[in-house]
Amino acid sequence: MNKLEQLKAQQNEIREISHALQNLMTPEQQAVPTIAQITHTLLCDLCEKVSNHLAEEHQGVFPGLLAHGDQKVQNMVWGFINNDKPLRQAFNHYKRHWLKDCQYEVSPAFIEETQQILAMLEDRLQLEDSSMIPRLEEVGAFAHA
């Protein structure tokens, strides 16, 4: 599997978990202990997959693209690198606040913050789908990956 296929596979996994979580993030669903526990497990999995996805981009994709001869590609990559900072900070804060020590607290604030983090993640995936990946395919950045 080449790097582009890996990125797309990671995106699909993240998106599937995110969509499942969006459907579970209601007070009624979270009032059911089994569903709340499944939600907690999915959130932990999601956080790990997002961290791995961003790490893969930073270690396996971005360095080669920054060396690419096309200045537009380099500028786009720097934009994504800078865009990662708030996303990483939000996820790290979220994990520390809501998922620490395997304690799972269901509250309106938890549901609201989870919905916000899922929306932020979806925005990032949409940006990758609509901007980064098509542009990189266009310039052949993954031709030899």
Side-chain angles (χ1 to χ4, degrees):
M1 183 180 303
N2 68 33
K3 288 181 185 179
L4 177 60
E5 291 169 341
Q6 286 176 315
L7 286 177
K8 287 182 176 183
Q10 289 172 347
Q11 284 181 319
N12 287 337
E13 288 180 47
I14 291 168
R15 195 170 272 125
E16 286 174 3
I17 294 171
S18 179
H19 288 185
L21 285 165
Q22 288 171 349
N23 293 324
L24 296 173
M25 295 313 304
T26 66
E28 297 79 20
Q29 294 279 13
Q30 293 304 298
V32 179
T34 304
I35 293 174
Q37 185 58 46
I38 290 168
T39 301
H40 181 261
T41 301
L42 285 173
L43 285 167
C44 292
D45 289 349
L46 179 67
C47 288
E48 183 178 340
K49 288 186 183 301
V50 169
S51 293
N52 291 341
H53 179 70
L54 295 175
E56 175 63 28
E57 287 179 338
H58 280 264
Q59 296 167 2
V61 176
F62 291 165
L65 295 174
L66 289 172
H68 195 276
D70 188 326
Q71 186 64 44
K72 289 181 181 178
V73 169
Q74 293 171 351
N75 291 343
M76 180 187 58
V77 170
W78 279 114
F80 272 90
I81 290 170
N82 291 330
N83 177 271
D84 283 355
K85 292 175 186 173
L87 181 62
R88 284 178 187 263
Q89 288 173 343
F91 261 87
N92 287 334
H93 168 78
Y94 180 83
K95 287 188 291 189
R96 280 190 311 273
H97 187 251
W98 296 111
L99 303 177
K100 64 181 179 223
D101 302 326
C102 294
Q103 298 297 317
Y104 187 68
E105 174 188 337
V106 176
S107 67
F110 165 75
I111 292 172
E112 182 179 337
E113 191 168 339
T114 301
Q115 290 170 337
Q116 289 171 355
I117 204 89
L118 293 173
M120 179 184 266
L121 179 58
E122 184 59 31
D123 290 346
R124 168 56 187 249
L125 293 174
Q126 287 293 338
L127 189 60
E128 288 181 10
D129 285 344
S130 66
S131 178
M132 183 176 79
I133 291 175
R135 177 72 179 134
L136 297 177
E137 288 177 317
E138 179 184 306
V139 300
F142 291 106
H144 303 292

